Amino acid sequence: AFSSDLVTPVAAINFREGQRFKQGELLVELDCARHRHDLAALASQVREMSVAVEANEHLVRNGAANRNDVGTARARLDRAIAEQASMEQRLRQCRIVAPFEGVVTELTIHPHETPAVNQPFITIASHTALEIEVIVPSRMVMDLTPSSALRFSIDETRRVYEARIRRTGGAVDPVSQTIKIYAAFVAGDDAVLPGMSGTASFAAAGGTPR
């Protein structure tokens, strides 16, 4: 889920809910023209402070100024550099680029609207590295290890998929006496979407499903 602390409208939205994208593609772009002007002003201030430092150092070498003046000028330059770096970092929020291949699952803004500060306005999910979360009786935990096989029947697709356990949850729920395990599909299927549910089965000793 992406959010921003920039108070600026949306310039372009390249993908809508349900549309898939590739890693590195531009999802949303904010109108940051004013912020870029602010960055240019800060860059000018850095140059101005650099000149002031050089001038004070020259005066010190010629005995026309003291080292306190140089220290003050350097401190102002350091502050200007820090402010410029901060603005450059903020400007990176102007372009929301996909960190992985996936699909847009939620979009709450439109072009020319201004997103609420620090509130998610686009949510994405990977459809190439889906993970299965299964709740099992805690008594099974000793029999289930990483790479153990399971079959997962998804309600929505009405298909059964082969999967393997990746890891086991870190704690048992003492009330229900259950524990979570996490598994990965052996083969991908474009029909499988985040949020789907189903039933897992495991081969017990002797090959009997459970």
Side-chain angles (χ1 to χ4, degrees):
F2 292 95
S3 62
S4 174
D5 62 3
L6 298 175
V7 182
T8 188
V10 174
I13 298 175
N14 294 333
F15 294 89
R16 299 290 179 175
E17 289 185 5
Q19 289 186 318
R20 297 191 174 187
F21 51 80
K22 295 180 180 179
Q23 182 179 5
E25 288 191 303
L26 179 64
L27 303 177
V28 176
E29 185 169 15
L30 303 179
D31 183 358
C32 291
R34 179 175 62 83
H35 297 84
R36 292 189 180 93
H37 289 310
D38 291 341
L39 178 61
L42 290 171
S44 297
Q45 189 175 7
V46 168
R47 292 193 295 271
E48 179 184 347
M49 294 298 99
S50 297
V51 171
V53 169
E54 292 175 1
N56 278 281
E57 288 177 341
H58 177 75
L59 291 173
V60 167
R61 287 193 297 270
N62 290 276
N66 59 56
R67 294 192 176 277
N68 289 336
D69 294 331
V70 175
T72 300
R74 283 191 177 279
R76 290 174 178 170
L77 173 61
D78 290 342
R79 183 177 65 183
I81 291 174
E83 291 175 347
Q84 181 185 17
S86 176
M87 179 57 71
E88 289 174 345
Q89 182 67 31
R90 295 189 70 196
L91 279 173
R92 294 179 183 177
Q93 301 178 46
C94 296
R95 293 171 55 85
I96 308 299
V97 177
F100 50 75
E101 184 177 348
V103 61
V104 177
T105 59
E106 186 176 10
L107 186 66
T108 61
I109 54 171
H110 298 87
H112 311 301
E113 290 182 348
T114 300
V117 175
N118 295 325
Q119 294 296 315
F121 54 82
I122 183 171
T123 304
I124 64 175
S126 170
H127 64 85
T128 58
L130 294 177
E131 191 172 64
I132 305 169
E133 179 182 303
V134 186
I135 299 175
V136 301
S138 57
R139 64 177 180 274
M140 293 177 59
V141 70
M142 298 304 296
D143 299 327
L144 303 177
T145 61
S147 77
S148 292
L150 63 95
R151 305 188 76 196
F152 192 66
S153 175
I154 296 182
D155 299 336
E156 290 83 356
T157 65
R158 299 179 182 177
R159 297 177 186 173
V160 178
Y161 302 87
E162 301 294 330
R164 291 194 176 276
I165 295 175
R166 279 183 171 174
R167 65 188 187 280
T168 302
V172 172
D173 186 322
V175 178
S176 62
Q177 292 187 316
T178 59
I179 189 170
K180 290 182 180 179
I181 62 170
Y182 302 88
F185 291 97
V186 172
D189 185 346
D190 289 342
V192 179
L193 300 176
M196 287 184 172
S197 58
T199 304
S201 60
F202 304 85
T208 304
R210 59 177 174 173

